[in-house]
């Protein structure tokens, strides 16, 4: 998410200060910015134009943290402006992301097992058939919506738990009890938005939610039918968008690697109804390809009036919006172009999510939003399903308990 950055450096007061600013900014972007956010070469930008201009003011004196904050603010302003431009470019292309309609004997409405077709093996067979159908859409479009993956009461309980967890995490960070990285992952445009990493085994509601999604809906089977039972849990977190959060820039989470299959699939689960004004995620279906990434990275223009290939792609390619009912989800290929839109409502939006990594891939090009102890465990889909089945039978979840004992 943070490769191929081409953001202008801040103007400085001297060559030495410029060097320090440049190094700080480069390190900061490497560690924090989760996007392929490229500012067009022809965009008017005072910081860019004045970067090499002489200045007679004395060198600035500030702490490293103050310099980083200043640089982040300047880059954030540029990204916000870019986001607004992209919002205009995409204003005529968007439509709601519709649920993948699958007719499976024994299944209910689109996604999620609705009962009425037997139990045991028949239910498992129905879910497997449904999952394969969803997987075809996912492989073709790079994104698929599945409804009814989480019961409403479970979604409500999980949402309450996660917002309470956020308050405690913020308090622990503020008091110095833990470092920010131990509770929050880095997210693009962090003002009024956070990426709260979720523990395993500390609260039963997380286990219940995973059991419902991975065992009782077609989500687990959809991912497994592409990546296999050896796919690795790479992320477990919750994206929270507060009122006033700005629109992100369009980006993929991972680069397109020639000759490589999908490296990561992420499942966003709505913990409340997500309305248009609450900042739903926007995806550009079918952009998980080499051609789309080539166009997306081409920001060159020959004149002030000419449109770059990137902007033309964003302006003309159809997009879909994650206007999701509570308990529904969207699974997407990490290479598919997408962005979080602005939350213009007075309501808080939470998306509980997890990602599974292709076991054939090492580092996918995207820093994981996950507690360190969970990431280090390298849990496979097969292991997770086994532990959740044990929990479902009333025998507890020994794997989750072991991880919980190591959490800091």
């Amino acid at each position: 998410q943070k490769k191929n950055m081409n953001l202008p450096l801040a103007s400085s007061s001297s060559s030495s200060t410029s060097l320090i600013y440049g190094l700080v900014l480069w390190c900061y972007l490497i560690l924090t910015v989760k996007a392929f956010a490229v500012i067009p070469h022809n965009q008017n930008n005072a910081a860019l134009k004045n970067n090499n201009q002489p200045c007679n003011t004395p060198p600035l004196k500030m702490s490293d943290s103050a310099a980083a904050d200043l640089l982040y603010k300047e880059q954030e302003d540029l990204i916000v402006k870019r986001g607004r431009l992209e919002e205009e470019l995409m204003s005529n292309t968007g439509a709601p992301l519709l649920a993948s309609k699958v007719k499976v004997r024994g299944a209910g409405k689109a996604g999620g097992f609705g009962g009425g077709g037997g139990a045991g093996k028949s239910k498992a067979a129905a879910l497997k058939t449904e999952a394969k159908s969803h997987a075809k859409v996912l492989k073709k479009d790079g994104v698929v919506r599945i409804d009814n993956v989480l019961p409403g009461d479970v979604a409500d309980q999980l949402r309450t738990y996660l917002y309470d967890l956020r308050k405690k995490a913020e308090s622990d960070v503020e008091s110095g009890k833990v470092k920010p990285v131990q509770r929050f992952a880095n997210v693009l445009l962090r003002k009024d938005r956070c990426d709260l990493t979720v523990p395993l085994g500390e609260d039963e509601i997380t286990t219940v939610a995973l059991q419902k999604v991975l065992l009782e809906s077609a989500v687990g089977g959809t991912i497994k039918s592409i990546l296999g039972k050896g796919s690795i849990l790479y992320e477990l977190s919750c994206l929270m968008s507060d009122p006033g959060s700005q629109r992100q820039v369009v980006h993929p989470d991972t680069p397109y690697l020639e000759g490589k299959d999908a490296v990561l699939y992420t499942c966003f689960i709505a913990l409340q109804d997500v309305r248009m004004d609450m900042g739903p995620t926007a995806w550009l279906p079918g952009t998980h390809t080499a051609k789309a990434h080539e166009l997306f990275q081409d920001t060159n223009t020959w004149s002030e009036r000419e449109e770059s290939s990137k902007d033309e792609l964003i302006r003309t390619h159809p997009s879909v919006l994650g206007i999701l009912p509570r308990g529904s989800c969207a699974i997407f290929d990490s290479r598919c172009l997408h962005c979080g839109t602005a939350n213009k409502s007075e309501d808080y939006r939470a998306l509980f999510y997890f990602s599974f990594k292709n076991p054939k891939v090492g580092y996918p090009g995207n820093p994981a939003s996950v507690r360190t102890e969970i990431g280090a465990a390298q849990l496979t889909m097969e292991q997770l399903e086994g532990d959740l089945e044990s929990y479902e039978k009333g025998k507890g979840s020994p794997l989750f308990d072991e991880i919980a004992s190591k959490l800091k």
Side-chain angles (χ1 to χ4, degrees), residues 4-192:
N4 296 334
M5 296 299 299
N6 193 22
L7 296 173
L9 296 177
S11 57
S12 61
S13 303
S14 68
S15 59
S16 59
T17 306
S18 178
L19 177 59
I20 294 172
Y21 271 21
L23 290 172
V24 171
L25 177 57
W26 177 249
C27 293
Y28 185 79
L29 292 176
I30 286 295
L31 292 172
T32 65
V33 177
K34 301 186 76 178
F36 280 77
V38 182
I39 303 300
H41 292 178
N42 64 336
Q43 181 174 322
N44 292 329
N45 184 284
L48 177 61
K49 290 182 177 180
N50 295 329
N51 191 50
N52 296 316
Q53 298 300 315
C55 183
N56 296 322
T57 56
L60 294 175
K61 294 182 179 179
M62 60 180 73
S63 65
D64 290 344
S65 62
D69 287 342
L70 177 65
L71 291 168
Y72 176 85
K73 181 63 171 62
E74 184 164 332
Q75 296 302 316
E76 185 180 66
D77 289 344
L78 292 173
I79 294 171
V80 168
K81 290 177 182 177
R82 172 66 192 177
R84 289 171 180 164
L85 170 62
E86 291 180 352
E87 183 175 24
E88 293 179 9
L89 293 174
M90 297 172 64
S91 61
N92 297 318
T93 64
L97 174 63
L98 301 178
S100 175
K101 295 183 178 181
V102 181
K103 292 183 179 180
V104 180
R105 185 179 179 183
K109 296 180 180 179
F113 190 84
K121 291 183 179 179
S122 62
K123 176 179 177 179
L127 283 177
K128 186 174 182 179
T129 301
E130 182 185 347
K132 287 183 178 179
S133 182
H134 292 314
K136 288 181 181 179
V137 177
L138 181 56
K139 292 175 75 173
K140 174 180 175 291
D141 295 340
V143 60
V144 65
R145 169 177 157 180
I146 308 177
D147 285 350
N148 308 316
V149 304
L150 198 62
D153 60 334
V154 177
D156 291 343
Q157 293 175 53
L158 182 59
R159 189 177 190 276
T160 299
Y161 163 67
L162 291 174
Y163 272 103
D164 287 343
L165 184 67
R166 175 182 174 178
K167 289 180 182 178
K168 184 178 186 305
E170 290 173 339
S171 176
D172 288 346
V173 169
E174 186 176 355
S175 67
K177 184 177 180 180
V178 297
K179 296 178 180 180
V181 71
Q182 293 177 280
R183 296 294 181 267
F184 299 95
N186 293 309
V187 64
L188 181 64
L189 296 183
R190 64 194 181 196
K191 186 178 184 299
D192 300 319

Side-chain angles (χ1 to χ4, degrees), residues 219-389:
V219 169
T222 300
I223 297 173
K224 192 164 54 175
S225 67
I226 303 176
L227 298 182
K229 62 183 180 181
S231 53
I232 298 168
L233 180 67
Y234 189 69
E235 297 184 297
L236 184 66
S237 197
C238 183
L239 280 171
M240 295 176 171
S241 174
D242 300 344
S245 64
Q246 298 282 358
R247 181 188 179 96
Q248 295 178 322
V249 292
V250 174
H251 63 280
D253 284 344
T254 59
Y256 183 89
L257 301 177
E258 194 64 42
K260 300 290 185 180
D261 295 326
V263 296
L264 206 66
Y265 282 106
T266 299
C267 179
F268 281 175
I269 304 170
L271 299 185
Q272 68 291 297
D273 291 344
V274 179
R275 304 187 309 269
M276 181 65 191
D277 63 346
M278 292 174 68
T281 306
W283 288 275
L284 279 66
T287 56
H288 54 308
T289 64
K291 181 61 176 176
H293 277 238
E294 180 183 353
L295 293 173
F296 182 73
Q297 294 183 53
D298 182 7
T299 61
N300 293 314
T301 58
W302 294 102
S303 70
E304 289 289 332
R305 294 184 179 181
E306 187 179 347
E307 185 177 46
S308 68
S309 296
K310 173 180 178 176
D311 284 356
E312 183 180 7
L313 173 68
I314 292 173
R315 179 177 59 81
T316 61
H317 197 93
S319 61
V320 292
L321 295 159
I323 304 173
L324 303 173
R326 178 186 60 171
S328 296
C329 79
I331 307 175
F332 65 99
D333 187 318
S334 60
R335 301 169 298 178
C336 187
L337 300 177
H338 65 282
C339 67
T341 61
N343 188 345
K344 300 177 182 179
S345 74
E346 296 181 357
D347 298 313
Y348 291 75
R349 188 212 72 191
L351 295 175
F352 174 62
Y353 76 96
F354 50 79
S355 300
F356 280 88
K357 183 174 71 71
N358 188 330
K360 299 176 183 178
V361 174
Y363 178 65
N366 171 22
S369 297
V370 69
R371 293 287 181 97
T372 302
E373 298 82 4
I374 298 174
Q378 294 286 287
L379 301 174
T380 66
M381 177 74 80
E382 185 176 32
Q383 289 177 308
L384 282 170
E385 289 179 334
D387 213 50
L388 292 170
E389 286 171 358

